[in-house]
Structure formats: structure tokens, C-alpha cells
Amino acid sequence: MSVTAAKGFQAAGIAAGIKANGNPDLALVVNSGPRRAAAGVFTSNRVKAAPVLWSEQVLKGGAVTAVVLNSGGANACTGPQGFQDTHATAERAAEVLGHSAGEIAVASTGLIGVLLPMDRLLPGIGQAAAELSEHGGEKAAIAIKTTDTVHKTAVAGGAGWTVGGMAKGAGMLAPGLATMLVVLTTDADLDTPTLDKALRDATRVTFDRADSDGCMSTNDTVLLLASGASGVVPGYDEFADAVRTVCADLARQLIGDAEGASKDIRIEVVNAASEDEAVDVGRTISRSNLLKCAIHGEDPNWGRVLSAIGTTSAAFEPDRLNVAINGVWVCRNGSVGDDRDLVDMRFREVVITADLAAGDASAVIWTNDLTADYVHENSAYSS
Amino acid sequence: MSVTAAKGFQAAGIAAGIKANGNPDLALVVNSGPRRAAAGVFTSNRVKAAPVLWSEQVLKGGAVTAVVLNSGGANACTGPQGFQDTHATAERAAEVLGHSAGEIAVASTGLIGVLLPMDRLLPGIGQAAAELSEHGGEKAAIAIKTTDTVHKTAVAGGAGWTVGGMAKGAGMLAPGLATMLVVLTTDADLDTPTLDKALRDATRVTFDRADSDGCMSTNDTVLLLASGASGVVPGYDEFADAVRTVCADLARQLIGDAEGASKDIRIEVVNAASEDEAVDVGRTISRSNLLKCAIHGEDPNWGRVLSAIGTTSAAFEPDRLNVAINGVWVCRNGSVGDDRDLVDMRFREVVITADLAAGDASAVIWTNDLTADYVHENSAYSS
């Protein structure tokens, strides 16, 4: 279903030869209208890849007719030549599709610090355009994979309208945003400001709260394109709910496919003084390598949760903290609680609940365990 | 040499039965004067172990006659009972040594959230006191080991006076301070304010700049005790230099013995706008799991250095950043620099130089690589 679930979109995914192993590496998503409204959210990393710098400019215009995405190279830290390559990519797509380059977004993922093989990428755009199809969403989702073991798609919607999307991302996943490329499409008949608000409302509580390894990417891009092809104008709440549902679904899939992970960890911070503090505490817990190793070993080592909480500036009293792991309150009032042997950690999902006893705000952060496989994937070869 | 290198100190290290495996687990360091001046620096974690809460109070008095240290249990997150246990430890040492409990510091290390076996610890204090010796420094250093593979000691000094020390710490090493217990002793004839200043000046640029795994402990304790037994009053600069030398030596040993590490990584941040920003950038680089995995794989993946720098708020322009790995400037002006194949990473020490081109301040942060052995050590059993 992916990006072609909504009416008015065509997509393709092909092997252009950017990846040495011959796997699919170039995707094209085209909005055939009648509307071409679009919103985007990008990495908050100050070191931004060339395609991010380019697409940020494109999105300022509020209209996107097509997105060119490549895996096999991030085109980050590639200097003026890298930016020229992104520009040339948009120009080639504009030429092939008969649109303005100023409405063509570009997204790249892969190794940082390497120039893209433009002699293969540019011809690939023509090839992808020739394969554009209303059923091409799956192929596009497959072409943007890097170390992902599966491609990720999701769909939601209402009466007569649909939101669909695809995502890639498996490592360098951290808030603001995770390392990922995401394209969402909808046939709802909505303008750019509405799309922008719905997208920001959704990413704030989904992708921004997935933190696999604390490492923020240079390339994160989340785009939402509206074709208006359904002719339906859903109410804001209903539409925002669908966008959030698709984002949450994709974010959950990203965590579930994180590099080397054997456990998905849901960190619930409750009774915080504010939502911001709940998020801060959740992220800090999610970044404790020691805790992530313990979870990998199915060890309910709650001391590592407390030592992480203690490094934050959130409101709490150490002797009022409570921590549950998979529902067993192993820490009560900052001290030894129920028997840790009662904690059953055999399943993939692990829930850590941190009760700050300081207010009534809460937040959920998703992360995963730290494993030898993660180390292997990120040390055995460049990525 | 350790804590008994300086005149006026006795020490012992014994197996009290706190550790299940029968290894040494209780150390005693006694200052026989004539002075009993002391300074201390403790973890900045807000979740503090009982012995930290106790010893912070003791140090406020500015005098320490003895330090009781145990491995085999952190006595952290153990509630009122844990604090009573620390108090009882000091009381027993006071009774055995004939001193006031208010001048006896206590330090503990090991698993968080478990009460200490006081039925074994308390008798151990009498046994350790019976074995006190002016040659007991090595045994004391051995008794405070947890996952350390070697014990750590260092010595420096001047004409007629000495500074010696011991340290433990192998995991949960992060600034402010690393997970460690450190006792430094000197026979220089100096008062508490001088010791305090020298200790803070030293830890700020040594232990506070060692970040093994980004995890801050609940138990970190660094003590500096002065006996005055040499009768020598060194100048401040000379003394501070010796304290810093011993701290730097011990900090380097901690990084060199970090859990599972195969590489020691020296991160030099140069041309920063301020020292604080240099430290911030260095720490951020040191906490990139992706970079630490790459270094483990001997991959000069400078893109992971840039993506880490980009998450900080330090002054820099992305297109003016330069990065060298082992002296090869693989990144110049934020883009591809010299050939990465020129980087030789076969040796244990790896030097990463990050040039922010934003000023003339600099700082060095030490960390190590992330390995499957680290994951194993921290997942296979509780620690």
C-alpha cells in the first residue's frame, strides 16, 4: 500500500547501481494532483546533508510534485559538489517529469562523506520514471532500505480518504528525528498549513520519541504530500489522528527493526511535573548503555534506571521514585521493592515504568536493547 | 605504592565475604597524622548512594581519619536501612580505631539496589584493622576492584613529600565523575582549603574528562587525605601539579581497563570558542555508540564524528569543520579530506582531533570503543 495507497500518487523503486550489491536503491514518488500541497520535517542536526538543505528550500514553497529518494549514499559532508549533485538530481527529475525542479524534493541515506555516483543515479531517474505506477508503493519502500531487514509501510484514513506512508531506518535512530526517510501521502483535499500542523503534531509524539541508539542523523526527512484526489476535506482532528496513526505505526516498525536489537523497550514516564520533563527522563533512560545491555540479558537491573534518572534535572525526590519492569514494582520509594525474580522478561517487548511522583504529566519513549549484533553491524563495515 | 606511598598512612585489604566468589572486598585506609585534613569530590548524580550521603557530611568537617571502602555492593537505592548500614560501618571503624565516627568516610561499589551483608562486613573491619600496614596500599587497591581486570595506583611528589593514590572503575564511567572510588593521600603539610582547591582543579581536567560509556554512577567518590607527616609545605602550584599528575595517571588507567574495550580513544577538540564548548563537543563525540563501534572496527568513519558534533550547540560552521584521525585530516571544511585509507588504526590508542575553527580553546576527553565484550559483561550478569 505504502505511498500509493492514497489516490493521485504514483511510485517506483529500481536498482540504479548506487549500491555495490545491486539491490534497489532509487525511489520516485510523484503527486499527480490536482493539489500539490506538502509539508516537511527535517533533522535538527546542524550538520545537514545536501538533500536536506535542498528539500528544506523546496518545502518553503509549500508545493512538492515529486520526491527522489536514494539509498546507498547519504550525500552528507560532501561540500559544494554534494549540493550540486542534489541540484542535478532535482533538475533531471524535473526534466523527465515535465515539472519545475523547485517543486522536487530529494532525500538520501547511506554512508556519510562519500559523493554519490551521479553517472548511475541520473540515468536511474529516467528508468524509475518509466516504471511509475499506482501500485509502485511497495517497490519504492524497498528501494530506500539500508540496513533495514524489512521495508516499512502503513496506512490509515477515513470515509473516502487515505493516508499512506513508507519509512526506512534501522540505525542512527534518535530524536529530532530518528535516522530515517519517511514519505507520507494523502488524497485528502487539504492545504499546506493544515498538512504542516498535522505533520508536526504527529512527529512530536512518534518519531521524536523513538531513540534507538542516541545518534542523530544528518539526513532525517519526513514529508507529507497531499494530492486532493479524493475531493474530501476531513476535519482536522480526524486527519491529524490518521497522520499520527501512520507515524506511530512506522516509528514502531523502525524500533522493531533496529540494528541488532533483540528487545523493544517501551519506557513510560509517569507522574512527571511536565511533559517535557517526562520526555527528558525517558530519553535519558533510553540512552543508558548499561541498562540496554541489562535488558538484553533479561536482567531487571532497576538500579541502572535510577542512576539514569539521577542525571536529569527533572523534578523528583530520590526517595520517592518508583520503577516497574513488566508490571513488577522492583523499586519502591527509591529503594528495593518487589522481588525482581517475579519479572518475566522472556518476550521481545519490555515495559519500563518510571514513576517520578512529581506531577501528573507523562510520556512514552521507545528504544531497544544494546547487543553484540549492534556492535558487529556498526564495526564490521562502514555504514 | 598506592595510598601508603605517603608517610603517615596505613592501609589493608581483605576478603570479608561480601563478594560471593571470596575475592578481597574490604579496604581500610588510616591517616595517623599529625594532620587529618581532607577534601572530597562526589558524584553529581542526584540519586546518591548511602555512603556518598554519609561521606559528604563527614567531609564538611574537613577532617578524615580513616576511609572504609567495600566492593561487592554499592549500597545505593537501599533506603533508610542502607544509610543505617553505612552509619554502622563508620561506628564500627570508630570503635576499632578509637576515633570519632564523624571523621570516618565510607565508600561502596558494586550492584545497586541490594543491601550489604553487614554480618560479614562489620567483622571484616576488625580484621582489616588488625592487618593495617604502611605497606598495605596495594592490598587496599586490590580489595576495591569490581570488574576491573587490574588494580590501579599512581604516585607523584616533590622534595620530601609525596602524593599517592588508588582507584577502581571499569564501567559506568562518565563525567561528573566516572564510576569510581579513588583515595589519594599525601604527607604534605597542607590544610583542608588547599587540599580542596587542588583536588577540584585536578578532577575537573582528569576524571571529569573520562567518559567510558556515558553512564554516571551513584557512588563516585574521590578523597584526598593529608597527614602532614613529611613536615613539608609545598607551594600550591607544585602540589596541585602532583595531584593532577596522579589523577591523570589513574584516569588514564581507568579508561585503559574499561569494560570490554579494545581501543583507548583520545578526543582532542581544538579551536573551540570556549573550554566549556570544547568539553561539550568532546563528550558528545565520546558518547556516539556508532562512532565507538566504528573505531572498534578500525574504520575511520569521520561522518559519525561530524554527525555527533552537529547535535551540540557549540559555536562552529558546518563547512569549516576539520577532523583528523590518527593525524590524517580525513575531513576538511566539513567535506571529504585526505584519503581515509591513509589512517593506520592498528594500535590500541586512537586520536580523534576535531577542529571547530571557532576560537582558540581546547580540551581532551578520553573514552574507549564499544565492543561485543562490553555488551557481554553488562548483560550476562548483574553488576
Side-chain angles (χ1 to χ4, degrees):
Chain A
M1 299 293 283
S2 180
V3 288
T4 48
K7 289 186 283 289
F9 290 93
Q10 292 185 302
I14 63 144
I18 304 167
K19 286 180 181 166
N21 63 9
N23 283 342
D25 49 23
L26 189 71
L28 186 60
V29 180
V30 176
N31 181 354
S32 42
R35 253 192 201 280
R36 290 189 174 90
V41 177
F42 300 91
T43 183
S44 54
N45 200 309
R46 291 167 62 200
V47 176
K48 296 180 202 297
V52 168
L53 295 171
W54 171 267
S55 297
E56 281 181 334
Q57 288 302 314
V58 169
L59 267 293
K60 282 183 183 163
V64 168
T65 53
V67 188
V68 183
L69 307 98
N70 75 274
S71 53
N75 197 6
C77 306
T78 44
Q81 183 62 50
F83 193 80
Q84 284 176 35
D85 288 346
T86 291
H87 189 180
T89 300
E91 289 286 357
R92 176 64 63 93
E95 186 185 321
V96 167
L97 299 170
H99 286 294
S100 155
E103 294 188 2
I104 293 177
V106 180
S108 301
T109 179
L111 186 61
I112 297 172
V114 178
L115 288 166
L116 289 171
M118 296 305 288
D119 57 330
R120 276 165 267 168
L121 194 154
L122 292 180
I125 293 171
Q127 187 190 338
E131 297 192 16
L132 279 170
S133 155
E134 289 173 3
H135 306 287
E138 296 291 327
K139 282 192 175 175
I142 290 166
I144 59 175
K145 285 169 57 185
T146 52
T147 57
D148 306 67
T149 65
V150 293
H151 65 285
K152 289 108 179 166
T153 67
V155 174
W161 58 276
T162 298
V163 176
M166 66 179 184
K168 70 75 47 178
M172 208 182 258
L173 284 172
L177 309 161
T179 293
M180 55 190 180
L181 306 184
V182 178
V183 179
L184 308 174
T185 58
T186 183
D187 46 21
D189 193 13
L190 297 168
D191 60 13
T192 293
T194 305
L195 298 179
D196 190 67
K197 177 163 168 44
L199 184 62
R200 288 177 195 281
D201 285 352
T203 55
R204 190 179 70 80
V205 295
T206 56
F207 296 120
D208 276 356
R209 296 192 184 173
D211 191 331
S212 168
D213 61 5
C215 294
M216 190 195 296
S217 159
T218 50
N219 287 60
D220 300 323
T221 300
V222 182
L223 301 175
L224 170 57
L225 279 51
S227 68
S230 71
V232 179
V233 184
Y236 178 77
D237 289 348
E238 190 187 8
F239 179 70
D241 190 54
V243 173
R244 192 172 55 248
T245 298
V246 170
C247 288
D249 189 338
L250 291 172
R252 188 70 186 72
Q253 292 181 52
L254 293 176
I255 287 291
D257 193 31
E259 286 173 344
S262 70
K263 301 282 188 191
D264 301 343
I265 308 173
R266 177 185 165 94
I267 300 168
E268 306 172 336
V269 181
V270 301
N271 299 322
S274 69
E275 184 178 348
D276 283 352
E277 291 193 357
V279 170
D280 181 44
V281 168
R283 281 186 184 160
T284 303
I285 295 171
S286 81
R287 290 181 177 184
S288 167
N289 281 350
L290 286 172
L291 176 65
K292 289 154 74 98
C293 287
I295 300 297
H296 178 51
E298 303 190 344
D299 171 14
N301 197 322
W302 58 267
R304 295 177 179 178
V305 179
L306 257 68
S307 65
I309 296 173
T311 66
T312 71
S313 58
F316 70 82
E317 293 300 325
D319 60 0
R320 293 193 64 202
L321 293 171
N322 305 298
V323 173
I325 299 179
N326 283 353
V328 179
W329 290 92
V330 284
C331 169
R332 291 181 186 272
N333 296 318
S335 181
V336 187
D338 298 348
D339 185 355
R340 46 192 278 155
D341 291 342
L342 297 174
V343 182
D344 182 353
M345 298 179 71
R346 288 171 299 170
F347 300 101
R348 185 171 176 106
E349 185 170 317
V350 174
V351 180
I352 296 175
T353 310
D355 171 7
L356 303 187
D360 56 11
S362 64
V364 171
I365 298 285
W366 281 94
T367 188
N368 50 263
D369 58 344
L370 179 58
T371 71
D373 287 346
Y374 175 89
V375 174
H376 178 75
E377 282 204 40
N378 288 295
S379 63
Y381 50 85
S382 286
S383 63
Chain B
M1 299 298 281
S2 178
V3 289
T4 48
K7 288 187 285 288
F9 291 93
Q10 294 186 301
I14 63 145
I18 304 166
K19 286 179 179 166
N21 63 10
N23 283 343
D25 49 23
L26 189 71
L28 186 59
V29 181
V30 176
N31 181 354
S32 44
R35 251 192 204 282
R36 294 190 172 91
V41 177
F42 300 91
T43 183
S44 54
N45 200 311
R46 292 168 61 200
V47 175
K48 294 180 202 300
V52 168
L53 295 170
W54 170 266
S55 297
E56 280 181 334
Q57 287 303 312
V58 169
L59 267 293
K60 282 184 182 160
V64 169
T65 53
V67 188
V68 183
L69 307 98
N70 75 274
S71 52
N75 197 7
C77 306
T78 44
Q81 183 62 50
F83 193 80
Q84 284 175 36
D85 288 347
T86 291
H87 189 180
T89 299
E91 288 287 357
R92 177 63 63 94
E95 187 185 321
V96 168
L97 299 170
H99 286 294
S100 156
E103 293 187 2
I104 293 176
V106 180
S108 301
T109 179
L111 186 61
I112 298 172
V114 178
L115 288 166
L116 289 169
M118 296 305 289
D119 58 328
R120 277 166 266 168
L121 194 153
L122 292 180
I125 293 170
Q127 186 190 339
E131 298 191 16
L132 280 169
S133 157
E134 289 173 3
H135 307 286
E138 297 290 329
K139 283 192 176 175
I142 290 166
I144 59 175
K145 285 168 57 185
T146 52
T147 56
D148 306 66
T149 64
V150 294
H151 65 285
K152 288 110 180 165
T153 67
V155 173
W161 59 276
T162 297
V163 177
M166 65 178 185
K168 68 76 46 178
M172 206 183 258
L173 285 173
L177 308 161
T179 295
M180 53 190 181
L181 306 184
V182 178
V183 179
L184 308 174
T185 58
T186 183
D187 46 21
D189 193 13
L190 296 168
D191 59 12
T192 294
T194 306
L195 298 179
D196 190 68
K197 177 163 167 44
L199 184 62
R200 289 178 195 281
D201 284 353
T203 55
R204 190 180 69 81
V205 295
T206 56
F207 295 119
D208 277 355
R209 296 190 184 174
D211 192 332
S212 167
D213 60 5
C215 294
M216 190 195 296
S217 160
T218 50
N219 286 58
D220 299 324
T221 300
V222 183
L223 301 176
L224 170 58
L225 279 49
S227 69
S230 72
V232 180
V233 183
Y236 178 78
D237 289 348
E238 192 187 5
F239 178 70
D241 191 53
V243 174
R244 193 173 54 247
T245 298
V246 171
C247 288
D249 190 336
L250 291 172
R252 187 70 185 72
Q253 292 181 52
L254 292 177
I255 286 291
D257 193 30
E259 286 174 348
S262 70
K263 301 283 188 191
D264 301 343
I265 308 172
R266 177 184 165 92
I267 300 168
E268 307 172 337
V269 181
V270 301
N271 299 323
S274 71
E275 185 178 347
D276 283 351
E277 291 193 356
V279 169
D280 181 44
V281 168
R283 281 187 184 161
T284 302
I285 295 170
S286 80
R287 291 183 177 183
S288 166
N289 281 349
L290 286 172
L291 175 64
K292 290 154 75 97
C293 287
I295 300 298
H296 177 52
E298 303 189 345
D299 170 14
N301 196 323
W302 59 268
R304 294 177 179 177
V305 179
L306 258 68
S307 65
I309 297 172
T311 66
T312 72
S313 57
F316 70 83
E317 294 299 325
D319 60 2
R320 293 193 63 202
L321 292 171
N322 305 299
V323 173
I325 299 179
N326 284 352
V328 179
W329 290 93
V330 284
C331 169
R332 290 181 187 274
N333 296 320
S335 183
V336 186
D338 298 349
D339 186 354
R340 48 190 278 153
D341 290 342
L342 297 174
V343 182
D344 182 353
M345 298 180 71
R346 288 172 299 170
F347 300 101
R348 185 173 175 105
E349 185 169 318
V350 174
V351 180
I352 296 174
T353 311
D355 171 8
L356 304 187
D360 56 12
S362 63
V364 171
I365 298 286
W366 280 95
T367 188
N368 51 261
D369 58 343
L370 179 59
T371 70
D373 287 347
Y374 175 89
V375 175
H376 179 74
E377 282 204 40
N378 287 295
S379 62
Y381 50 85
S382 285
S383 63

